[in-house]
Amino acid sequence: MKISARRVETATILDVSGNIDMSNSPEVRKALLREIREKGVTRVALNLTGVAYIDSSGVASLVEGLKASRESGSRFVLFGLSDSAREVLKISRLLKLFEVYDDETQAIAP
Amino acid sequence: MKISARRVETATILDVSGNIDMSNSPEVRKALLREIREKGVTRVALNLTGVAYIDSSGVASLVEGLKASRESGSRFVLFGLSDSAREVLKISRLLKLFEVYDDETQAIAP
Amino acid sequence: MNPIAAKQPRDMNKSSKVTRAFLLKLELRSHPTLLCVIRGALQPLVEMLGFSAEHNREIIRAVDEAVANIMRHSYQGRLDQPIEVYCNRLQRRTNGEIEQGVEVLLFDCGPAVDTTKLEARPLDEVRPGGLGLHIIRGSMDTVQYKRAGRLNRLRLVKYARTSKGECGSAEEKPS
Amino acid sequence: MNPIAAKQPRDMNKSSKVTRAFLLKLELRSHPTLLCVIRGALQPLVEMLGFSAEHNREIIRAVDEAVANIMRHSYQGRLDQPIEVYCNRLQRRTNGEIEQGVEVLLFDCGPAVDTTKLEARPLDEVRPGGLGLHIIRGSMDTVQYKRAGRLNRLRLVKYARTSKGECGSAEEKPS
Ligand SMILES: Nc1ncnc2c1ncn2[C@@H]1O[C@H](COP(=O)(O)OP(=O)(O)O)[C@@H](O)[C@H]1O
Ligand SMILES: Nc1ncnc2c1ncn2[C@@H]1O[C@H](COP(=O)(O)OP(=O)(O)O)[C@@H](O)[C@H]1O
């Protein structure tokens, strides 16, 4: 799993590739919280295009990201979900809780 | 592994997807020989774009295809090779023996 | 040496209409970086059995979550403890139709699972964690925890629906 | 019940500078449709060990060809015979540098391999077949066939080259 951040105006896009499971979800959590709490960032978009699989510990990291963004008054959005990622959010009854977009353009549109 | 044939003028394109190994290389061999021996077909192009892995039994099927095409006076060409497919042909010293193209347009160009 | 090795389950041939064929056994340690190895082995295996792509993903997800729970709870994060995964192909005859299924058995040597703690939490509260059991139960037809001697055994079973069932399961469940 | 199960190899700890850690054991039957399961398990495993993508593919290819040979030659196409695959992580110290390696041990219960037949054929003749051994030997650092009691054991070892070696191996071999 690799994760890296890029800045597009006042949004940060976090690109992840590889699978997210118990072995690396703490890294995802750390990167998410760091970017969300960064000053001046109004939106953090997590790019899951390169992620085929997310387990429940990965989902837990996303929920932590969401809570942190609510605290800091910024937006946390997801895009590029695989069928598997969508299913695990759905079965966890969290799909409607997240702002989910198809692609980057939509995810960072004003 | 799935294999299907389509006709483009006097050429036949065989699209394969999945991996080719000992469990299914006889199917590949059969499909290849059938198309190569088909009357009026001047060229058979094997589309390996969807094939990540070929083992030595798959390579053996390709060699049989090549021999059959020489017998029938037609051409047998490959395109869309993955790194792995290229490597197994190279290590078998067969890469130079085959006509290998990058894509379909080149593979069926007159 | 390995206490698990001798304990191949022999108690599962009771059900008369179900036939069972051994497909694969995996032995590994309780290190989370090995979860991807289990998924990598299981993916082509369940694909072979004729499950739909969505059912494949459910099976992989359930096994992954169940092994993660063994690592986290049964072994409390220790990285070098033994885990065994057995995969069997099942066939059963229902109403004259043959259904293909898969049975995954997970063994660990941790302390007996406290079954009163095996509670999937209600999902209306939004908080991280506590989703694993919910995912496992929602993905498989059978989820059975059992103490077998000094081992914990988790039995997961899922059948591929027949064409009739396939339609039924394609419907959206009310949520 | 399984004759292989009791025969875990214990003869490999002789070399003093090499440390070995168990990673994975796979047990399966000699059915070619299971080759993809072995590749599926090994791929993430060797990826973890820090091999280059090309070396990863070489290891997977060697193991796949070796298991195919067991199915074809040792078991003569019978589909229900036992095969065991052990994967160990190796570390060795050469010139003060630590090299990561992988050891794959394959066991089968077929008749003793006739080592005089283990001949990779010359490649100048173009004909189908006879490529497996050539691929296995060209992909791994060590390829050792050995009779171990009533079992055949094939030992495959490959080390990830250190940064120095990496440059060297990137050169085209003369062909
Ligand atoms: N293999 C196991 N061994 C022991 N306890 C378990 C096991 N699996 C689950 N549990 C118990 O069930 C609870 C719920 O598990 P789960 O839904 O996966 O959520 P989480 O792992 O995030 O707590 C766990 O907190 C634990 O107490
Ligand atoms: N596991 C094995 N058991 C017995 N004989 C083997 C085994 N592997 C290889 N051989 C022998 O080595 C020969 C060369 O093998 P290989 O190069 O893989 O080509 P092929 O399998 O196409 O014959 C085989 O024909 C067989 O006689």
Side-chain angles (χ1 to χ4, degrees), chain C residues 69-70 72-74 113 117-119 129-134 145:
Chain C
N69 271 349
I70 291 174
R72 194 187 291 123
H73 300 297
S74 193
V113 175
K117 287 196 183 160
L118 288 172
E119 233 7 283
L131 299 169
L133 275 180
H134 188 80
Y145 289 86

Side-chain angles (χ1 to χ4, degrees), chain B residues 56, chain D residues 65-66 69-75 108 111-114 117-121 128-134 136 145 152 154:
Chain B
S56 70
Chain D
E65 295 288 344
N69 272 348
I70 290 174
M71 293 172 174
R72 194 187 290 121
H73 300 298
S74 192
Y75 288 138
D108 70 72
V113 175
D114 178 352
K117 286 194 182 161
L118 288 172
E119 236 2 288
R121 70 166 173 87
L131 299 169
L133 275 180
H134 187 80
I136 297 166
Y145 288 86
N152 295 308
L154 172 55

Side-chain angles (χ1 to χ4, degrees), chain D residues 73-88:
Chain D
H73 300 298
S74 192
Y75 288 138
Q76 300 181 299
R78 274 173 298 158
L79 303 175
D80 59 351
Q81 300 298 301
I83 296 174
E84 293 197 359
V85 184
Y86 289 83
C87 300
N88 300 311

Side-chain angles (χ1 to χ4, degrees), chain C residues 4-64:
Chain C
I4 293 182
K7 295 265 180 184
Q8 238 178 295
R10 289 273 154 263
D11 58 336
M12 298 163 304
N13 288 309
K14 285 171 197 164
S15 161
S16 59
K17 287 181 212 155
V18 176
T19 62
R20 174 178 285 101
F22 169 78
L23 282 173
L24 182 73
K25 180 185 164 189
L26 280 165
E27 269 180 59
L28 64 155
R29 297 288 172 260
S30 51
H31 202 297
T33 56
L34 294 168
L35 286 167
C36 60
V37 173
I38 300 181
R39 296 196 302 269
L42 256 63
Q43 200 150 318
L45 196 76
V46 292
E47 233 166 73
M48 270 169 36
L49 299 179
F51 285 95
S52 69
E54 188 175 344
H55 282 185
N56 280 355
R57 291 193 294 269
E58 287 179 339
I59 296 164
I60 305 294
R61 198 179 286 132
V63 176
D64 181 78

